[in-house]
């Protein structure tokens, strides 16, 4: 008769020593510790709460730069005015990838007329003294060639003055218009004017940001925070660099020639990254490349425990 082995008896839980356990107390202690730890780590390692840059803060901090930029907006010679799509139809300004104009293909989706949108409309919409109203009328009555002559002359005079009072000249109504715009900006009214879209909530900051980016003040602040294009700014964050290190491959190309000296760098780097991404997806189908793991045998190093056990199994005598 074959006796089956008896199953070990299950021990009685009451036979083990016990002690009281306060679940609410343990939860409270854990909650307090985690909350304090989170607060301390956030204070030490979080990004700083940098105040937003506005047209008001810019005009107060660097009125000369604001004035020079406003003149370029009025004369349609700023970076935004000459950018091309999606803001305007400036010929030859679009980024291209070979013969394909990527910007032109998207078209003008956010039309921006810098003279009207950044200078004239805000001045017309605000309550104006008689001198400003007369200056607006003079500007409206003059031809485009005269507009260009006035703004060009005043821009040159501002550059020669180096932030001081420009020399007297034939600037037409431009000094009056720009001085009034500077006053609106310093009062904070211009920020609201450039966001006014007829909606109760104003959340579109496109035009104020474009105006800011045309000046040098915003760029100087960015470079001070190591956010410039040649400072790996695409992967940095304010006050805490290098920041998003996973973006290094994209921003790397902006640091080397021919990309860093090309005005078409955005399109070229986009095309290069698209090509590299396609190559990565097609690795299993590319002869030679797909065999690299088998040649390097890196997988055997990673799964060395498995292959060691397999070798032991093969060598074990039957």
């Amino acid at each position: 008769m074959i006796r089956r082995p008896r199953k070990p008896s299950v021990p009685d839980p009451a036979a083990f020593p016990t002690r009281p356990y306060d679940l609410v107390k343990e939860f409270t202690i854990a909650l307090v510790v985690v909350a304090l730890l989170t607060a301390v780590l956030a204070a030490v390692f979080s990004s700083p709460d940098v105040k937003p840059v506005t047209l008001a803060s810019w005009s107060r901090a660097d009125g000369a730069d604001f004035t020079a930029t406003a003149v370029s907006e009025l004369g349609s010679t700023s970076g935004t005015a000459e950018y091309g799509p999606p803001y305007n139809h400036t010929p030859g300004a679009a980024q291209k990838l070979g013969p394909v104009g990527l910007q032109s293909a998207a078209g003008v989706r956010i039309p921006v007329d810098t003279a009207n949108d950044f200078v004239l409309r805000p001045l017309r919409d605000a309550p104006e003294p008689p001198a400003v109203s007369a200056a607006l009328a003079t500007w409206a009555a003059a031809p485009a060639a005269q507009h260009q002559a006035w703004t060009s002359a005043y821009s040159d005079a501002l550059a020669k003055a180096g932030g001081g009072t420009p020399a007297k000249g034939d600037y037409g109504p431009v000094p009056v218009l720009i001085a009034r715009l500077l006053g609106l900006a310093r009062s904070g009214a211009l920020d609201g004017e450039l966001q006014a879209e007829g909606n109760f909530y104003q959340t579109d900051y496109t035009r104020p940001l474009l105006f800011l980016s045309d000046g040098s003040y915003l760029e100087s602040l960015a470079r001070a925070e190591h956010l410039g294009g040649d400072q790996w700014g695409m992967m940095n964050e304010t006050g805490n660099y290098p920041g998003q290190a996973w973006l290094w491959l994209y921003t790397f190309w902006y640091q080397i020639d021919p990309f860093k000296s090309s005005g078409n760098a955005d399109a070229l780097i986009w095309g290069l990254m698209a090509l590299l991404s396609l190559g990565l997806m097609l690795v299993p189908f590319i002869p030679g490349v797909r065999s690299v793991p088998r040649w390097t045998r890196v997988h055997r190093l990673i799964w060395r425990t498995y292959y060691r056990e397999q070798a032991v199994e093969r060598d074990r005598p039957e």
Side-chain angles (χ1 to χ4, degrees), residues 36-108:
L36 290 175
L37 186 62
T38 301
V40 171
L41 293 177
V44 175
F45 297 108
S46 65
S47 298
D49 186 13
V50 180
K51 292 183 178 180
V53 182
T54 63
L55 298 174
S57 63
W58 172 28
S59 59
R60 294 167 190 162
D62 194 345
D65 182 52
F66 178 89
T67 298
T69 306
V71 174
S72 69
E73 306 290 12
L74 184 60
S76 299
T77 58
S78 65
T80 299
E82 298 177 345
Y83 189 80
Y87 308 122
N88 47 58
H89 294 283
T90 303
Q95 294 271 324
K96 295 181 179 180
L97 189 59
V100 180
L102 300 180
Q103 284 181 253
S104 300
V108 177

Side-chain angles (χ1 to χ4, degrees), residues 170-188:
D170 183 14
Y171 313 131
V174 174
V176 176
L177 298 176
I178 298 303
R180 176 56 177 162
L181 191 72
L182 178 62
L184 286 177
R186 286 177 170 171
S187 70

Side-chain angles (χ1 to χ4, degrees), residues 190-204:
L190 187 58
D191 286 286
E193 285 284 348
L194 294 192
Q195 293 178 52
E197 298 291 340
N199 301 320
F200 183 79
Y201 293 106
Q202 307 299 334
T203 58
D204 187 357

Side-chain angles (χ1 to χ4, degrees), residues 169-258:
D170 183 14
Y171 313 131
V174 174
V176 176
L177 298 176
I178 298 303
R180 176 56 177 162
L181 191 72
L182 178 62
L184 286 177
R186 286 177 170 171
S187 70
L190 187 58
D191 286 286
E193 285 284 348
L194 294 192
Q195 293 178 52
E197 298 291 340
N199 301 320
F200 183 79
Y201 293 106
Q202 307 299 334
T203 58
D204 187 357
Y205 292 89
T206 301
R207 284 172 173 77
L209 184 57
L210 289 174
F211 197 163
L212 276 164
S213 65
D214 285 334
S216 60
Y217 178 70
L218 184 63
E219 182 181 0
S220 66
L221 294 180
R223 297 191 67 82
E225 296 289 349
H226 301 273
L227 298 175
D230 57 351
Q231 298 171 312
W232 298 72
M234 187 180 297
M235 59 182 279
N236 294 347
E237 64 180 68
T238 305
N240 187 19
Y241 47 92
Q244 299 92 333
W246 55 272
L247 282 173
W248 75 267
L249 181 58
Y250 206 105
T251 194
F252 163 76
W253 303 106
Y254 285 93
Q255 317 305 318
I256 62 174
D257 284 320

